Amino acid sequence: MKIIYLTLFLFIFILESCSPIYTIKNYSSRVDFYYDFNKSTANKKIKITLKNDSSFTAVKTGGISNDSLFFTLNILKEEEIKSDEIKDIQYFDTATSNIAARIVLNDGKVLQAKKAGMLTGSYIKTLIYANKVESLPIGKIKSVSYNKHWLGTPFGLITGTVIGFLELGYINGSSTHGGTNESSIAYPILTILTGGAIGWLVGYNYTYQFNP
C-alpha cells in the first residue's frame, strides 16, 4: 500500500508540474500577453497573488485595461430591507435570531443573507453577500491563476487504471492460491475512482506571471 500512496503522490506532483505558466517572454509584445490573458480568464474565478506573496480569490475577472486588472469580489454588506419589499423569506434555523436566510424580493431578486433579523417590524437588518468590482495596478500583482478541474480527470483515471492493474497483479502474485477474486478486484476499481477524483481536485492550474 505504501507504493500505491507514493505513486499517487507522484501523480499529483506530475499533474501540478504540467500546469502551464505564461510570462510576457512567451509573447511578441505586452499587448499580446494582455490580450491572451483577457481571452483566457474572461469571467473566470481567479486567484490573485500580490508581490508580497499575499493572495485572495476573485469570483470573476474583468480583464486588464490601462495596465490595471479589474475583478469582482464577493463581500458581506450590511443592508436594511423594508418588509413591504420582501415577497418571501426562508430562515435556515428559526430557533435563533440573526441567522442565515434566503430572501426573495418583490422584483424577483434573490438575496443570500449570512445574517438576517426576524421579520417583525417595518424592516430587517441583514448581512448579505454582494459583488463589488475592484481593480489593482499590474505593477502590484505577482501572478494570476485559474483552475480547470475537468482537465485533470482523464489523466487521473488513466493513472488510476495503471496503478490499479499493477496493484491487482501484486495482490494476485502475492496470493498463495493464485487467481483473481472479487475482493482483490475491488482494490484496483477503488484506485481508478480515486485517481479520477484526485485528478479533478488537482486539475490544471493555469498561471500568468506579471512580476515574477
Side-chain angles (χ1 to χ4, degrees):
M1 292 298 292
K2 290 182 179 180
I3 296 178
I4 296 170
Y5 293 142
L6 179 62
T7 306
L8 287 174
F9 175 79
L10 181 62
F11 153 64
I12 296 174
F13 175 77
I14 293 173
L15 191 59
E16 290 183 336
S17 299
C18 290
S19 296
I21 298 176
Y22 303 102
T23 67
I24 195 171
K25 296 179 181 179
N26 301 119
Y27 300 84
S28 58
S29 68
R30 184 176 296 273
V31 173
D32 290 338
F33 180 42
Y34 288 174
Y35 174 80
D36 183 66
F37 173 85
N38 288 346
K39 182 179 178 181
S40 300
T41 63
N43 296 321
K44 286 186 173 65
K45 181 179 179 180
I46 59 171
K47 177 183 177 182
I48 300 173
T49 302
L50 304 181
K51 292 177 68 174
N52 62 5
D53 288 327
S54 64
S55 63
F56 59 92
T57 299
V59 294
K60 187 171 65 173
T61 48
I64 297 173
S65 179
N66 297 323
D67 289 324
S68 290
L69 173 65
F70 291 83
F71 50 90
T72 301
L73 298 176
N74 194 231
I75 62 171
L76 277 173
K77 180 181 179 182
E78 187 174 26
E79 279 195 9
E80 292 183 353
I81 305 175
K82 293 181 180 179
S83 57
D84 57 7
E85 294 178 350
I86 299 174
K87 180 180 179 180
D88 181 60
I89 182 168
Q90 177 185 4
Y91 292 99
F92 297 107
D93 183 2
T94 56
T96 59
S97 60
N98 292 325
I99 52 178
R102 180 179 182 271
I103 304 170
V104 181
L105 303 182
N106 292 328
D107 61 4
K109 186 177 181 180
V110 178
L111 305 177
Q112 300 294 340
K114 183 176 183 180
K115 289 185 179 181
M118 302 302 292
L119 186 58
T120 56
S122 60
Y123 67 90
I124 62 172
K125 289 185 177 181
T126 63
L127 277 176
I128 64 171
Y129 289 100
N131 289 336
K132 182 181 180 182
V133 177
E134 296 278 4
S135 66
L136 277 173
I138 292 299
K140 293 185 177 181
I141 300 174
K142 181 178 181 179
S143 65
V144 174
S145 60
Y146 68 93
N147 194 290
K148 286 188 176 180
H149 292 283
W150 63 271
L151 285 178
T153 303
F155 186 69
L157 289 172
I158 293 172
T159 304
T161 300
V162 173
I163 297 174
F165 277 104
L166 289 175
E167 183 179 13
L168 181 61
Y170 173 80
I171 293 173
N172 290 334
S174 301
S175 174
T176 56
H177 301 289
T180 303
N181 55 58
E182 292 182 358
S183 60
S184 63
I185 292 176
Y187 287 104
I189 292 176
L190 180 61
T191 305
I192 294 171
L193 295 176
T194 301
I198 292 175
W200 186 88
L201 288 172
V202 177
Y204 268 81
N205 202 52
Y206 291 80
T207 301
Y208 286 82
Q209 289 186 342
F210 294 93
N211 298 284

